[in-house]
C-alpha cells in the first residue's frame, strides 16, 4: 500500500504535532531520533512501501529529517527485532533486503500490542516519534481489540510518554497514541485472545 498524497500531507502534519508537543520536548542537545515499526503479520511488501513513502514525505517536508537517527522495528507474530537504519537506506529499500533473515531471528517472544509498547518504552525511549505501520484498516485493528491481551499492561506501557510519541498508521486512518490511550481508558472491550 503506497501512501496517497493526502496521507503524506496528514503524516507530515501529525509528525510536526508530535515533535512540537510540550510533553515531547527534547533533552538538551539531543539528536532527533525516530522509529518506524513494521508489522510483519500482513503483506510486508505493502508495509515496506508505506514506510519508504513516509520517509520520502518527511525528508521533503522539513530539512530537520536530513540528519535523524532512525530505527526500523520489525514486529512479527512471535518476535520483535530492531535495526538502526539511516533514512536514506530506508528510502532506497536497502533496509528491507534481509527481511527473511530478520523473520527467522527470535529476539523476544512478543505478539500482542502491549508487548510491543513495553518493548518500545524499554528500548526506544529516546525516540521522539514512533510510527507504527499496519497492513490492515483501522476498523480491522479495532475489531481485533487493537491486538491487546492485557489492557492494564497496555495502559502502563503507553504511560507516561509513549502515548504522546506514537502514531499508528493503518491503511485508511492515522491514530495518535493518546487517542488510542483514551479508548483504552473509556472503552471496556473484550481483550484480544489468540487461539
Amino acid at each position: 500500500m503506497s501512501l496517497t498524497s493526502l496521507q503524506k500531507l496528514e503524516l507530515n502534519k501529525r509528525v510536526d504535532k508530535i515533535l512540537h508537543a510540550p510533553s515531547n520536548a527534547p533533552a538538551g542537545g539531543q539528536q532527533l531520533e525516530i522509529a518506524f515499526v513494521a508489522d510483519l503479520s500482513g503483506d510486508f511488501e505493502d508495509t515496506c512501501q508505506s514506510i519508504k513513502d513516509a520517509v520520502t514525505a518527511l525528508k521533503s517536508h522539513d530539512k530537520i529529517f536530513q540528519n535523524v537517527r532512525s530505527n526500523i522495528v520489525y514486529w512479527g507474530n512471535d518476535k520483535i527485532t530492531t535495526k538502526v537504519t539511516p533514512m536514506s537506506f530506508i528510502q532506497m529499500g536497502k533496509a528491507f533486503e534481509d527481511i527473511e533473515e530478520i523473520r527467522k531471528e527470535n529476539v523476544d517472544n512478543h505478539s500482542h500490542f502491549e508487548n510491543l509498547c513495553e518493548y518500545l518504552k524499554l528500548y526506544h525511549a529516546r525516540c521522539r516519534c514512533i510510527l507504527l505501520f499496519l497492513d490492515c484498516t483501522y476498523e480491522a485493528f479495532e475489531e481485533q481489540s487493537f491486538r491487546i491481551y492485557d489492557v492494564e499492561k497496555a495502559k502502563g506501557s503507553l504511560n507516561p510518554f509513549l502515548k504522546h510519541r506514537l502514531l499508528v498508521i493503518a491503511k485508511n486512518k492515522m491514530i495518535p497514541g493518546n487517542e488510542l490511550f483514551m479508548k483504552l481508558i473509556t472503552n471496556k472491550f473484550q481483550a484480544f485472545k489468540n487461539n
Side-chain angles (χ1 to χ4, degrees):
M1 147 191 111
S2 296
L3 295 180
T4 65
S5 299
L6 194 59
Q7 286 174 316
K8 290 176 186 176
L9 186 63
E10 182 182 0
L11 175 75
N12 289 335
K13 286 183 178 183
R14 288 188 182 267
V15 169
D16 279 346
K17 190 174 180 180
I18 289 170
L19 293 178
H20 295 100
S23 58
N24 198 10
Q30 180 184 4
Q31 182 186 11
L32 177 61
E33 189 167 342
I34 190 167
F36 300 92
V37 182
D39 179 14
L40 300 180
S41 64
D43 181 0
F44 190 68
E45 293 298 319
D46 284 349
T47 305
C48 289
Q49 188 58 50
S50 296
I51 293 172
K52 288 195 299 192
D53 289 348
V55 168
T56 302
L58 291 171
K59 286 184 87 168
S60 63
H61 171 65
D62 195 335
K63 60 184 173 184
I64 192 172
F65 294 103
Q66 301 303 321
N67 187 25
V68 174
R69 180 182 164 98
S70 59
N71 306 284
I72 298 255
V73 179
Y74 299 97
W75 177 37
N77 288 330
D78 61 347
K79 62 190 168 288
I80 299 175
T81 308
T82 298
K83 186 177 174 187
V84 178
T85 310
M87 288 178 85
S88 57
F89 279 35
I90 297 170
Q91 210 171 3
M92 293 183 289
K94 292 184 178 183
F96 311 110
E97 289 176 347
D98 55 350
I99 189 61
E100 289 309 316
E101 192 176 304
I102 290 167
R103 286 183 183 209
K104 290 177 187 171
E105 290 177 14
N106 194 358
V107 174
D108 285 313
N109 198 10
H110 294 75
S111 57
H112 299 292
F113 181 75
E114 66 269 21
N115 293 332
L116 172 66
C117 291
E118 183 178 52
Y119 180 89
L120 292 171
K121 185 176 180 178
L122 192 62
Y123 296 108
H124 294 284
R126 292 181 314 210
C127 292
R128 288 187 47 219
C129 183
I130 299 170
L131 306 175
L132 169 59
F133 291 84
L134 300 174
D135 183 43
C136 65
T137 62
Y138 171 74
E139 293 76 21
F141 187 51
E142 191 173 36
E143 203 173 275
Q144 297 171 345
S145 299
F146 307 111
R147 298 186 196 161
I148 294 173
Y149 182 78
D150 184 343
V151 177
E152 292 307 313
K153 185 176 177 184
K155 288 193 285 191
S157 295
L158 285 167
N159 250 339
F161 61 86
L162 188 59
K163 65 185 176 189
H164 301 294
R165 299 177 183 181
L166 182 66
L167 179 63
V168 180
I169 302 164
K171 284 186 173 186
N172 62 337
K173 189 174 179 180
M174 295 181 194
I175 313 101
N178 51 10
E179 184 180 317
L180 184 62
F181 183 74
M182 289 307 295
K183 284 185 179 287
L184 296 181
I185 289 174
T186 58
N187 292 345
K188 299 293 181 194
F189 59 84
Q190 182 66 32
F192 181 63
K193 304 286 183 189
N194 269 355
N195 293 332

